[in-house]
Amino acid sequence: MKRTKEPRSPRGFTLIELLVVLVILGLLAGLVGPQVMKYLSGAKSDTARLQIEDLAATLDMYRLEIGRYPTSNESLNALVEAPAGTERWNGPYLKKKQVPKDPWGFDYQYRFPGEHGDFDLYTLGADNAEGGEGENRDIGNWQ
């Protein structure tokens, strides 16, 4: 029995085709990447603003039950653990029973009495230092 050779069909991509695809992907990443990073940084600032609003509302609820805001020494921890000498504490006031960190992983800053209102609740931004622009800008409950 005689075997006839059948022509082989190509079973993959050539090196040139792979290089073209890689160049196209590189161009797309170069064009789209910076835009995505810009939106991600804005999302962290928006998240910080929302968390500050939620914490401020929780502090108002604390004040309604206790009759005062937590002192600067008691800090935001008063929302999850009863401060010494507090009789009407009905907490924890936060669902997760821990004070959240800001979107950059730092603690929120709390000051009572505040310079901008009854209390100041703020984050120092990505650089965790006062001032700055963009991602490093401070975000507070008075803004």
Side-chain angles (χ1 to χ4, degrees), residues 47-109:
T47 300
R49 237 179 249 102
L50 290 172
Q51 283 182 329
I52 287 172
E53 287 176 18
D54 286 345
L55 286 170
T58 305
L59 285 164
D60 287 337
M61 185 171 51
Y62 178 94
R63 189 196 70 165
L64 286 173
E65 289 189 3
I66 305 301
R68 63 171 177 80
Y69 289 108
T71 64
S72 293
N73 288 338
E74 292 170 342
S75 72
L76 295 175
N77 288 329
L79 300 175
V80 292
E81 294 177 12
T86 305
E87 296 175 16
R88 295 184 308 239
W89 192 83
N90 194 22
Y93 295 92
L94 297 173
K95 288 182 184 177
K96 293 186 178 181
K97 298 178 183 161
Q98 67 183 39
V99 179
K101 302 271 189 192
D102 71 10
W104 300 278
F106 302 111
D107 291 329
Y108 280 103
Q109 306 294 313

Side-chain angles (χ1 to χ4, degrees), residues 1-6:
M1 195 171 191
K2 209 175 196 184
R3 288 188 176 169
T4 60
K5 289 188 177 182
E6 297 177 17

